Every structure is written in structure tokens, then in C-alpha cells.
Amino acid sequence: MIPVCEPNIGREELENITEAVKSGWISSAGEFVEKFEKEFARFLGVKHAISTSSGTTALHLALSALGVKPGDEVIIPDLTFVATAHAIRHCFAKPVLVDVTRSYWCINPDRIEEKITDKTKAIVPVHLYGNPCDMKPILEIAEKHGLFVVEDAAEALGSEYMGRKVGSFGDIGCFSFYGNKIITTGEGGMCVTNNDDLAERMRLLRNQAMHPKRRYYHVDVGYNYRMTNVQAAIGLAQVRKLDTFIAIKRANARLYSLLLSDCDDIVLHPEEPWAKSTFWMYSVLVDKRDKVMLELKKEGIDTRPFFIPMHQLPPYHDNNGYPASDYLGMHGLNLPSSTRLTDDEVSFVCEKLLKIVGGKR
Ligand SMILES: *Cc1c(COP(=O)(O)O)cnc(C)c1O
């Protein structure tokens, strides 16, 4: 079976894990945590990186640090992974859904302002499947209405908007290191910010809100959202391979787009003129998506459907109408996108997909 996205772990990761375990520092104290945070911050070109136990806890930590509280509203795209919405509910706040664009799949900036009320506290744009959001109008709207911006960049590590890496535009950017993400630590996440006070607040809340200079003196209600030294040991080796991983992902995407470009019945993974995508999962839009998935499975090719739009899920149900999100949720298909994928495998997937979908000119 050709997997959708598998981790790419090598000798460097194993050496770091061994060193971390041998040192005895297997919880969250230890040298690797700080080293990983420093190199991650340098990669993104931001001042602070605060590691967490997952991408979901990174989002919750970010929203908590910004003071999102019960009764607040937070704007998110209707098409995203559910963790974006869950993290808002974990603050007892309300996710307010906005439709995405049909063309590049991220939150539609033209539909944000109609959802802003006097309870709105923040916007969480999600860079979906590696595609950067159109950040300029989003930041302008946030500025105009006095809203925070938390970028959910879990799927877009290294992606760029107008030449600058996503995650560095908002007040805080959040990342995930789950096993299928661009780099992995097993489970894990990261918050980044250029704001010293927010960084300090996130470090405090991450560690049970314990005063940094006075042990067991807890100044607030905090969490245990710390990353372990063993996870960070993996992360450090991974972040050093990130440029290579991105180059591979982009090369795979180029090959997919080239080999599938002749078929009228396949909409290719878009890349806007202002975007450089890391193509977390190279994705296409096809009719009869679920049938296509089954046929590909028979050929030994594993794929994923796009996320189910948030408004279709029981906890976030609403009837306001999200046509672009509905369309993409029904037609979107993630193709195998691992950094270990070979050109032959990409060709094989394309050959089978073209045969199943047909419509070759
Ligand atoms: C993966 C992901 C997350 C959550 O990350 P976990 O590490 O699995 O908690 C959040 N948002 C998006 C868009 C994701 O894809």
C-alpha cells in the first residue's frame, strides 16, 4: 500500500533519541527542548517559539494567552481539521464559521466582516493542505476591528505568503508535529510569536502557571502542555531536514500537476501567484470522489477525503450555507504525499487515477 503521508525518520533522529534517553532527561526538562525551539524560531524568522504537547494544545494555549474567554466569538474557516474549532470550545468560546474560497480552499476574506459582532475576539485563518491564506486583507480586517489573529499553520510549515513564511503574520502562529505532518515529533506542537509578553504568557500557562522564579507558586490557572525532551530530540533532527522535505514535497507536487494536467475531470492542487505552498498533502478535486478512493485502494493506493466541513459536524452544526466548503468537502481528495514517495510511485498513482477518472483529452 502506498501511504498518504508517513513520517520520515532516520539515523539523526535515532541518535538524538538515544542521547536524550541516556541522559535521563526524558520529561520536559533537558537540552533538546530549547534547542528545537531556537532552531524552529530561526527557520520561521520569528523571535519566540514555544513547544507544546500537540497542535491542538498549541491552539488552546495561544487563545488562552490572548485572553479568549467564555462568550467570546472566534472566526474560523468552515473547512478545516476539527482541532481549530475544538480549541476555541476549550476556552468556552464560540467558533464562528466563514466559507472558504473555491479557488484556493482557505478562508474567504470577503466573507469575514459580515460575521464580526461586538463579541468577536479573534480570527484563526487556517493554511489548508499547505495553501497560504490571503493574509493581507485578513490582517487589515483584524486591525480595523481590533481583533487578534492566530494562524493555524499546522499543515503549512514552510509555506510562504508574498515571500514570508506563514505563521509569522499573526499575533501567534500554531504548528503541529503529528506523525503525518511536514515534520513530526510523534505528537507535538509549537506556538510562535514576535511579542515578548505573549511568549512569556504562553511559557507560563504551558507550565501550570508556575512562577518562573518561585517553585510551586502558581499565579494563575495553567496547563501541562509541555513537550518532552525525547520529542524535542526528534524535532531537532527533523527541523534540520525541513528544507530538504519541502523541496521533495514541491517536486512531488510539480510531478503530480504535470502528469495530471491533461485531464479535464481533475482539478489540480492550486498555488496562487502570491503563494509558495509546501503541499502538505497534494490534493485534487474529482467527481464521485468516494468511488475513486475505493478504486485507488484496490490498486494499493491509500488516499484521504477532504475534511468534513465544520457546519456538518454535530458540535458545530449550523445552517448558514457554505457552498464552497460543501463543494470541496465532497470532491477533495488527498493523494499520497510522503517525503519518501518516489517518482515512480507518483507516476503509478497518476496512471491509475487517470484510468479511473478517465476524460483524457
Ligand atoms: C493537525 C492539525 C491540527 C492539530 O494538531 P494535533 O497535533 O493533531 O493536535 C490543528 N489544525 C490543523 C489544521 C491540523 O491539520
Side-chain angles (χ1 to χ4, degrees):
M1 200 59 128
I2 302 178
V4 175
C5 232
E6 60 180 346
N8 192 339
I9 305 278
R11 189 173 44 83
E12 299 80 1
E13 285 80 356
L14 277 176
E15 281 171 8
N16 281 6
I17 294 167
T18 305
E19 192 183 326
V21 173
K22 276 190 176 161
S23 76
W25 296 101
I26 58 170
S27 289
S28 51
E31 287 181 357
F32 283 109
V33 176
E34 209 171 298
K35 278 189 189 159
F36 179 36
E37 290 177 343
K38 282 230 164 77
E39 291 210 12
F40 193 89
R42 194 182 322 139
F43 174 84
L44 272 193
V46 293
K47 224 164 144 189
H48 306 281
I50 297 98
S51 58
T52 60
S53 52
S54 75
T56 309
T57 56
L59 284 165
H60 185 220
L61 187 68
L63 296 167
S64 301
L66 292 170
V68 172
K69 58 180 192 310
D72 286 347
E73 294 177 359
V74 178
I75 287 173
I76 63 169
D78 183 50
L79 190 67
T80 180
F81 180 58
V82 73
T84 320
H86 282 348
I88 294 162
R89 276 288 180 82
H90 294 162
C91 298
F92 302 98
K94 185 186 171 201
V96 173
L97 307 174
V98 168
D99 203 4
V100 294
T101 67
R102 176 98 170 239
S103 50
Y104 62 92
W105 311 345
C106 297
I107 192 164
N108 187 341
D110 296 335
R111 309 304 298 270
I112 292 177
E113 276 192 299
E114 66 200 62
K115 296 286 180 104
I116 293 175
T117 72
D118 52 10
K119 292 179 183 158
T120 310
K121 188 82 176 244
I123 306 172
V124 183
V126 181
H127 307 292
L128 203 72
Y129 302 125
N131 292 356
C133 297
D134 191 0
M135 289 309 295
K136 191 165 177 278
I138 296 171
L139 293 168
E140 283 167 4
I141 292 165
E143 165 111 40
K144 181 174 155 199
H145 295 272
L147 307 175
F148 295 118
V149 174
V150 176
E151 294 175 76
D152 183 342
E155 302 180 359
L157 176 54
S159 289
E160 293 174 14
Y161 174 78
M162 295 186 174
R164 185 168 141 195
K165 292 201 170 69
V166 301
S168 68
F169 289 90
D171 297 281
I172 301 172
C174 299
F175 294 87
S176 163
F177 308 126
Y178 183 68
N180 66 9
K181 295 288 160 74
I182 295 162
I183 63 170
T184 185
T185 61
E187 298 276 1
M190 193 79 84
C191 293
V192 300
T193 184
N194 285 313
N195 181 310
D196 298 346
D197 295 334
L198 280 176
E200 193 183 325
R201 181 79 183 147
M202 287 192 281
R203 288 188 189 286
L204 182 84
L205 291 176
R206 173 180 69 171
N207 187 31
Q208 310 282 19
M210 184 164 81
H211 194 284
K213 300 232 164 64
R214 191 171 169 204
R215 188 162 287 267
Y216 304 130
Y217 185 70
H218 302 268
V219 298
D220 208 328
V221 180
Y223 317 102
N224 174 3
Y225 282 171
R226 300 177 305 256
M227 174 179 277
T228 69
N229 198 44
V230 182
Q231 289 170 304
I234 303 172
L236 183 65
Q238 289 268 292
V239 81
R240 289 175 176 169
K241 299 175 180 178
L242 190 42
D243 284 322
T244 312
F245 287 171
I246 291 168
I248 296 170
K249 289 239 183 224
R250 288 185 58 79
N252 285 345
R254 257 196 311 276
L255 187 55
Y256 268 126
S257 290
L258 179 73
L259 297 177
L260 297 174
S261 61
D262 273 349
C263 181
D264 293 333
D265 297 325
I266 299 175
V267 177
L268 303 177
H269 194 132
E271 191 175 41
E272 295 297 306
W274 33 257
K276 183 181 167 195
S277 176
T278 40
F279 296 96
W280 171 50
M281 291 213 193
Y282 186 89
S283 309
V284 292
L285 309 180
V286 290
D287 281 334
K288 306 201 180 93
R289 190 260 328 270
D290 294 349
K291 192 173 153 278
V292 172
M293 285 182 66
L294 274 174
E295 295 292 321
L296 286 168
K297 190 135 221 167
K298 282 186 207 154
E299 301 287 353
I301 299 164
D302 201 14
T303 58
R304 292 280 179 278
F306 269 23
F307 301 122
I308 298 174
M310 293 303 103
H311 77 276
Q312 296 180 23
L313 303 178
Y316 305 111
H317 189 265
D318 98 38
N319 284 325
N320 285 326
Y322 303 90
S325 172
D326 280 333
Y327 182 86
L328 296 169
M330 208 158 71
H331 294 86
L333 179 66
N334 306 129
L335 299 177
S337 304
S338 303
T339 48
R340 292 165 61 182
L341 202 66
T342 65
D343 285 0
D344 284 348
E345 285 174 321
V346 174
S347 304
F348 177 75
V349 172
C350 292
E351 184 194 315
K352 297 299 172 192
L353 182 61
L354 287 168
K355 215 167 111 194
I356 293 161
V357 174
K360 214 167 154 89
R361 277 198 205 110

